[in-house]
C-alpha cells in the first residue's frame, strides 16, 4: 500500500483486515488490488488557472445567486468531476469580486448568498466560454474522470466483499462482469 487512501481521512478502503485476502474470497481482493493499481497510475490532468475560478464564479452567478458551497459543487458537476475548486480558492475569489463591486452578498440564516451587481452583469455580458467548457477541450481532460470512477467502483466492490452476504457478493460479481463486458463493447464499437 502506498498510503494514497489514508491521506483523505477515510482510511484505506482496501484494508480488509484478517478476514480478507487469505479467506475464501481472496480472489476478489486480488482483483481489487489490480484495479486499484491500474487507477493509481495517475493520468496527468490539466490544472485550472487562477483566472478560471474567477470566470467560473462569474459565469455561475450570471445564471442565479448562489452560496459558496453551491458554487463549488456546481463547478464540479459541470466539469464532470474533473475540477472541484477548493474553498480556499473560491471564497477569496468571492471576496475579491465583492471588493471590485462585481458581486454582492446577502446574509440569510448565517449563510451568504452571492449575486451579480449591475457592474458584474456588464462584466459578464461579453459571455466568454465557461471554464469548465474550455477545460473539456484541453488535451487529456477527457481521461480525468475515468480513474476516479474506477477507484469509486473498486471501493464499492470492496465494501460489498467486506460486509455483504454470499448472495450479495455473487450479485456484485455479476455486476462487475457485466460492466467489464460493456467497457470492452465500447472499444469494439469504434
Amino acid at each position: 500500500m502506498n498510503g494514497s487512501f489514508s491521506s483523505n481521512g477515510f482510511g484505506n478502503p482496501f484494508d480488509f483486515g484478517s478476514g480478507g485476502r487469505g479467506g475464501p474470497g481472496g480472489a476478489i481482493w486480488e482483483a481489487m488490488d489490480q484495479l486499484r493499481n491500474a487507477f493509481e497510475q495517475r493520468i496527468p490532468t490539466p490544472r485550472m488557472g487562477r483566472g478560471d475560478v474567477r470566470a467560473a464564479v462569474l459565469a455561475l452567478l450570471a445564471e442565479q445567486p448562489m452560496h459558496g458551497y453551491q458554487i463549488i459543487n456546481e463547478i464540479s458537476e459541470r466539469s464532470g468531476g474533473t475540477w472541484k475548486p477548493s474553498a480556499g480558492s473560491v471564497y477569496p475569489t468571492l471576496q475579491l469580486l465583492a471588493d471590485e463591486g462585481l458581486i454582492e452578498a446577502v446574509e440569510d440564516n448565517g449563510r451568504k448568498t452571492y449575486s451579480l451587481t449591475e457592474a458584474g452583469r456588464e462584466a459578464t455580458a461579453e459571455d466568454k466560454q465557461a471554464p469548465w467548457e474550455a477545460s473539456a477541450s484541453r488535451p487529456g481532460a477527457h481521461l480525468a474522470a475515468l480513474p476516479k470512477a474506477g477507484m469509486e467502483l473498486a471501493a464499492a466492490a470492496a465494501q460489498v466483499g467486506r460486509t455483504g452476504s454470499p448472495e450479495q457478493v455473487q450479485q456484485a460479481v455479476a455486476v462487475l462482469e457485466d460492466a467489464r463486458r460493456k467497457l470492452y463493447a465500447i472499444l469494439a464499437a469504434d
Side-chain angles (χ1 to χ4, degrees):
M1 263 321 118
N2 67 6
S4 63
F5 289 102
S6 59
S7 64
N8 68 13
F10 295 105
N12 184 342
F14 298 98
D15 182 10
F16 306 115
S18 61
R21 297 180 195 280
I28 194 169
W29 310 132
E30 291 302 316
M32 290 297 97
D33 274 343
Q34 289 175 4
L35 183 61
R36 178 185 46 81
N37 289 334
F39 284 112
E40 279 184 344
Q41 297 171 4
R42 297 219 130 227
I43 297 170
T45 57
R47 291 188 54 104
M48 302 303 289
R50 285 185 211 180
D52 292 327
V53 173
R54 176 188 174 93
V57 168
L58 289 171
L60 290 173
L61 294 180
E63 295 176 10
Q64 67 180 16
M66 295 183 177
H67 57 78
Y69 184 70
Q70 284 175 297
I71 291 169
I72 292 168
N73 287 333
E74 194 66 27
I75 291 170
S76 177
E77 184 177 312
R78 292 190 188 199
S79 69
T82 61
W83 177 33
K84 185 170 185 177
S86 68
S89 64
V90 170
Y91 285 101
T93 300
L94 289 168
Q95 184 61 53
L96 178 64
L97 291 170
D99 292 347
E100 293 174 3
L102 298 176
I103 66 170
E104 60 187 355
V106 175
E107 190 164 339
D108 184 30
N109 292 327
R111 174 173 273 170
K112 288 184 181 179
T113 300
Y114 300 89
S115 59
L116 292 179
T117 62
E118 187 59 38
R121 282 188 282 285
E122 290 173 14
T124 59
E126 294 134 20
D127 208 31
K128 297 187 296 185
Q129 188 178 33
W132 50 84
E133 294 167 353
S135 70
S137 64
R138 292 180 181 164
H142 67 287
L143 300 175
L146 188 61
K148 181 177 187 261
M151 289 303 298
E152 289 171 352
L153 176 65
Q159 181 68 30
V160 172
R162 277 194 307 272
T163 62
S165 68
E167 294 80 21
Q168 289 171 324
V169 170
Q170 285 178 336
Q171 290 173 350
V173 168
V175 167
L176 292 173
E177 288 174 350
D178 185 51
R180 179 185 48 80
R181 283 190 295 274
K182 286 180 178 179
L183 288 171
Y184 281 124
I186 290 169
L187 291 174
D190 282 343

